[in-house]
Every structure is written in structure tokens, then in C-alpha cells.
Amino acid sequence: MASSTDTGQLLPAAVRQSNFEQAVAYSLHLWPALTLAVQNNWGGPDSADKRDWFAGAIVDLFPEFSDAPQTKPIEEPDMEDVETVLLQVMIDEFEVNVDDDSGTEVAGNIIRARAECAIGQFDEVNRLSQRFQNLKGKKVDQMFTKAEDAHQDTDWESDDDDDDDDDDASDVDMDDAPAPPSAPKEKPAPEIDEDGFTKVTHKKK
């Protein structure tokens, strides 16, 4: 874990926090593995909502920026911590094993944006925004195939599923992706069954 410094008082904390959340959302929208998973509903019919939750979960790894003076160092996750969470969520929520270095790149984008937002600079946020705008119109399945290959090795999807739906989803262009939202902070509350066990949510039947 890396320690944050007592910086970032040039702009209100709310402004810096908002820009950081936007940077996280852009980073996830720019991740080809995640975009392909969302387009193909590998996380279930609410895959797009899961991506929004995903952004909120990453934001929540970090303490919120504050306008109050810091009296002691605040522990924050480093790039390795963030990458670990990114890859684990992809497996747990989207059943995708990302076996290239794209998780490292996404984590690096988030850490750089965090460091800049802490001191009221938003160059990385603007760079991510521009990359997202430039990406519109490009098909994700032309840029990334490993997640799809890993997905095909799993047996959660039966042969009886509608192949036409998959074909249509894989042809969705990036310009159909929603504008990166401010990251939500909460995941739906877990359900408890009659035996008192927590039900696993978002699993495909």
C-alpha cells in the first residue's frame, strides 16, 4: 500500500473526487476485455450495470479526497493492489480470465489519475476522455480476443442458448457504449435464503 501525501488543496475535494471517479469510469470503458464481456452479456443481462458497480468498487478502494488538513499519512492501494481487484472482479462477475497485460495498463491509468487528481491536475483524466472519444466506432472484438477465447473454454453457457443474440451483441460498436458515468458506490444487497446462507448474485443459470 502506498501512502498519500498532504497535497491537493488547490481545488475543492469534491472537484478532485469527481474527476477521479470519472477517470476510473473511463479506464473501465476503455478496457477491451471488459467492454467485450459487457457487449456479450458474459456477466448476465445486467452486465452494463455491473460495469457501473465495478467502477464504484474501484473508487471505494481509495479514501475520498478531503478539504480538511491531513494529520497523518493515509494508506492507499498501489498499482498491484488495484490490478489484483480488477482481475478478480473479471473472474468473479464476468467469468473472464484476462491473461494479457491489459489489467496492468488499466491499473496504471487509475493510479496516475489518482496521483494527479490529488494535486488538482487532470491531464490523465483528459487523456482518458480523449482516448474514449477516439475509440468510438471501433469494434472491440477486433482489438481484443483473449477474453472471448477464455470464455469459450467455460461450460456455463449451454448449447441451447440463442446464438443470434450473441452474434448481435458482438457487433455492437463502441459508440453505443454509454458515456462514462460517475461511479456508483453500492452493489445490490445480498439475498439470504431460508437456511441463512447468502445467495450468490449475478450468476448465470
Side-chain angles (χ1 to χ4, degrees):
M1 304 289 279
S3 297
S4 65
T5 57
D6 185 15
T7 56
Q9 301 304 317
L10 298 179
L11 289 172
V15 175
R16 291 179 278 122
Q17 182 69 24
S18 176
N19 275 272
F20 173 60
E21 292 178 0
Q22 199 69 29
V24 172
Y26 277 127
S27 296
L28 294 189
H29 275 80
L30 287 165
W31 194 4
L34 178 55
T35 301
L36 193 63
V38 170
Q39 289 179 350
N40 287 279
N41 288 331
W42 292 346
D46 58 347
S47 290
D49 290 336
K50 276 190 181 181
R51 178 169 53 188
D52 291 340
W53 165 80
F54 196 175
I58 296 300
V59 169
D60 283 346
L61 294 175
F62 300 83
E64 286 194 18
F65 290 124
S66 173
D67 290 322
Q70 299 296 328
T71 58
K72 60 181 180 179
I74 300 176
E75 292 295 320
E76 295 199 353
D78 58 20
M79 190 169 76
E80 183 177 353
D81 296 328
V82 174
E83 181 183 7
T84 297
V85 174
L86 290 171
L87 298 180
Q88 191 61 49
V89 171
M90 288 294 288
I91 292 174
D92 292 346
E93 298 294 338
F94 296 94
E95 300 188 14
V96 174
N97 182 20
V98 182
D99 54 3
D100 61 1
D101 294 328
S102 61
T104 303
E105 179 184 354
V106 175
N109 293 339
I110 292 170
I111 291 296
R112 282 191 299 272
R114 176 71 180 184
E116 289 189 2
C117 289
I119 58 176
Q121 295 179 0
F122 309 123
D123 291 346
E124 183 69 11
V125 182
N126 293 333
R127 185 182 72 85
L128 291 170
S129 175
Q130 187 59 53
R131 281 184 57 195
F132 179 77
Q133 297 301 322
N134 292 342
L135 194 61
K136 286 184 175 181
K138 295 183 180 179
K139 293 183 185 233
V140 174
D141 57 2
Q142 295 173 345
M143 299 181 293
F144 186 89
T145 58
K146 290 186 177 179
E148 185 173 19
D149 293 340
H151 168 69
Q152 290 174 345
D153 291 335
T154 64
D155 58 4
W156 61 264
E157 188 174 35
S158 71
D159 293 335
D160 296 330
D161 287 342
D162 189 351
D163 292 335
D164 291 336
D165 289 343
D166 290 341
D167 292 341
D168 292 340
S170 64
D171 288 336
V172 176
D173 289 343
M174 272 302 297
D175 55 6
D176 291 328
S182 294
K185 296 298 182 66
E186 296 181 359
K187 189 178 181 181
E191 298 181 28
I192 306 298
D193 64 20
E194 60 184 8
D195 296 321
F197 292 101
T198 300
K199 294 182 180 180
V200 178
T201 59
H202 301 308
K203 297 297 289 183
K204 286 168 286 297
K205 298 179 180 178

